[in-house]
Amino acid sequence: MALRVRRIKKAFGFDKTKTEKYVIVPDRATVVTFDDLCEQIATVSGVNNGLARHVLYGLVSSMKTFIRQGHSVQVEGFGTFIPSFNAKSSLIEDEANIDSITKVKLRFLPSTELREVINSMEFEFDAADSTNDSQAESETDPEGGTDSPSEI
């Protein structure tokens, strides 16, 4: 299955002229719920749904424990979760302290397997949900096939 993309017209904040430009954006599907994920895990692994739920709850609980302690958590086949933060810099040594932390975040580095999935994704252009300012028919694929990013 291909990731559907569409074309939008947008003014970018970093563009001082505020000129509207065309850009391709993902046409995202719905979010997979926790229940749906557990059901799929149960189906793929052969365990019952309740066990899949408990294992996932246990995984999240264990990750929270280690992350609170400042550890990065690596889940094989999934990726690594790294606790991180942004902080203000200062010319004065004493001002670089805990109060200078402005945002706490959790970085995620996907595993090699997930990166390969992302890098090999196919894309399908959704002409119906896109801007069509020029009314150019040549940009759409009449057969509804998939395109690589360079062909869109």
Side-chain angles (χ1 to χ4, degrees), residues 79-99:
T80 305
F81 296 84
I82 305 161
S84 184
F85 58 85
N86 294 347
K88 294 182 221 169
S89 61
S90 175
L91 295 172
I92 301 167
E93 181 180 357
D94 289 343
E95 289 180 1
N97 56 37
I98 292 173
D99 294 332

Side-chain angles (χ1 to χ4, degrees), residues 4 124-125 140-147:
R4 293 176 61 88
E124 181 179 318
F125 186 68
T140 62
D141 181 0
E143 296 176 16
T146 58
D147 299 322

Side-chain angles (χ1 to χ4, degrees), residues 3-56:
L3 175 63
R4 293 176 61 88
V5 297
R6 59 191 171 93
R7 178 179 38 239
I8 64 169
K9 195 172 187 179
K10 177 179 179 175
F12 293 92
F14 57 82
D15 185 355
K16 303 227 185 299
T17 64
K18 301 295 183 209
T19 304
E20 286 188 326
K21 298 177 183 175
Y22 295 98
V23 65
I24 298 292
V25 295
D27 194 11
R28 301 200 194 278
T30 59
V31 173
V32 175
T33 67
F34 184 76
D35 289 339
D36 290 338
L37 180 62
C38 289
E39 196 172 303
Q40 179 67 17
I41 290 170
T43 301
V44 170
S45 67
V47 300
N48 68 45
N49 197 316
L51 181 58
R53 295 177 76 77
H54 287 295
V55 169
L56 279 179

Side-chain angles (χ1 to χ4, degrees), residues 79-150:
T80 305
F81 296 84
I82 305 161
S84 184
F85 58 85
N86 294 347
K88 294 182 221 169
S89 61
S90 175
L91 295 172
I92 301 167
E93 181 180 357
D94 289 343
E95 289 180 1
N97 56 37
I98 292 173
D99 294 332
S100 66
I101 296 173
T102 58
K103 181 179 182 180
V104 179
K105 54 191 173 182
L106 188 61
R107 288 182 32 220
F108 173 68
L109 300 175
S111 68
T112 302
E113 293 171 65
L114 285 181
R115 280 195 311 269
E116 288 172 358
V117 167
I118 293 294
N119 291 334
S120 66
M121 284 182 70
E122 292 184 7
F123 299 88
E124 181 179 318
F125 186 68
D126 187 354
D129 257 355
S130 295
T131 60
N132 199 6
D133 292 347
S134 64
Q135 302 294 324
E137 293 296 320
S138 63
E139 292 182 18
T140 62
D141 181 0
E143 296 176 16
T146 58
D147 299 322
S148 71
S150 60

